Amino acid sequence: DGGITQSPKYLFRKEGQNVTLSCEQNLNHDAMYWYRQDPGQGLRLIYYSQIVNDFQKGDIAEGYSVSREKKESFPLTVTSAQKNPTAFYLCASSMDRANSPLHFGNGTRLTVT
Amino acid sequence: AQSVTQLDSHVSVSEGTPVLLRCNYSSSYSPSLFWYVQHPNKGLQLLLKYTSAATLVKGINGFEAEFKKSETSFHLTKPSAHMSDAAEYFCVVSERGNSGGSNYKLTFGKGTLLTVNP
């Protein structure tokens, strides 16, 4: 079955450490996205990529980095510069057209102490 | 600039009664509109979408939504709530970004938590 796989589901890190969240899709979608979800705030866009080897900052990119070396993969690194990294992170993909819905992974819950 | 307002952060209904989740939007152009559902610790799942065809859109699990341009609304309804409908629901608007090309900007509402009481 086609879909998006995020791993791990839960991640724990010490403050000051970088951590990378994995996102893989086999839907042959061009566009991929990373969102951060905090209680009562909806989803906020961190980074997005419309094509391999290209990506754009979203609304809250500070303290995060991404790469898009393969169409199927869009890993997100949460760096030590991110002031409040504890959150639920969602990866999504789409055909990058106005009426194309997003397909979401099941998320990674990151806790930094 | 586009925006989405979900008018209720929490809605509570009894099983078997109707559900109404309200969404208002603003958009400079003809938008596409979506409703998503999220169960705890899961990703979002598409319920339905409006893309300038029929104004009454039917989705999965018995949900439907009506696009009303004059009211800039896209409310989600279901005639009879089921316990399994308890989840958080997000209204989303999509329109072409300022840079043109294939860049489409998505804006999410803050979500409405639906509680279904037995």
Side-chain angles (χ1 to χ4, degrees), chain A residues 64-108:
Chain A
Y64 300 97
S65 65
V66 293
S67 63
R68 187 87 186 275
E69 297 177 2
K70 299 186 300 182
K71 188 175 186 177
E72 302 80 17
S73 179
F74 192 41
L76 173 74
T77 297
V78 184
T79 75
S80 56
Q82 167 49 234
K83 291 183 173 25
N84 296 296
T86 294
F88 190 52
Y89 290 88
L90 287 162
C91 180
S93 70
S94 78
M95 295 296 289
D96 193 32
R97 289 191 291 269
N99 59 355
S100 289
L102 294 177
H103 295 254
F104 284 87
N106 279 328
T108 293

Side-chain angles (χ1 to χ4, degrees), chain A residues 9 37 96 99 102 105 109, chain B residues 36 38 41 43 49 51 102:
Chain A
K9 187 166 179 64
Q37 186 175 25
D96 193 32
N99 59 355
L102 294 177
R109 187 167 297 281
Chain B
Y36 288 84
Q38 184 182 31
N41 294 311
K49 66 179 182 181
T51 57
S102 63

Side-chain angles (χ1 to χ4, degrees), chain B residues 63-79:
Chain B
F63 283 95
E64 62 182 37
E66 186 172 8
F67 175 72
K68 292 187 176 180
K69 187 174 181 178
S70 60
E71 299 177 10
T72 61
S73 69
F74 190 57
H75 301 336
L76 182 70
T77 60
K78 182 173 180 177

Side-chain angles (χ1 to χ4, degrees), chain A residues 9-10 33 35 37 40-43 48 50 59 88 90 96-102 104-107 109, chain B residues 32 34 36 38 41-46 49 51 88 90 94-96 102-106 108-111:
Chain A
K9 187 166 179 64
Y10 298 97
Y33 310 79
Y35 288 92
Q37 186 175 25
Q41 295 200 43
L43 274 68
Y48 66 98
Q50 295 172 274
D59 300 318
F88 190 52
L90 287 162
D96 193 32
R97 289 191 291 269
N99 59 355
S100 289
L102 294 177
F104 284 87
N106 279 328
R109 187 167 297 281
Chain B
S32 295
F34 308 83
Y36 288 84
Q38 184 182 31
N41 294 311
K42 295 286 189 183
L44 280 69
Q45 179 187 14
L46 180 70
K49 66 179 182 181
T51 57
E88 190 156 24
F90 292 93
S94 171
E95 67 174 17
R96 187 180 291 276
S102 63
N103 179 19
Y104 288 93
K105 182 174 172 61
L106 294 163
F108 284 76
K110 293 189 183 301

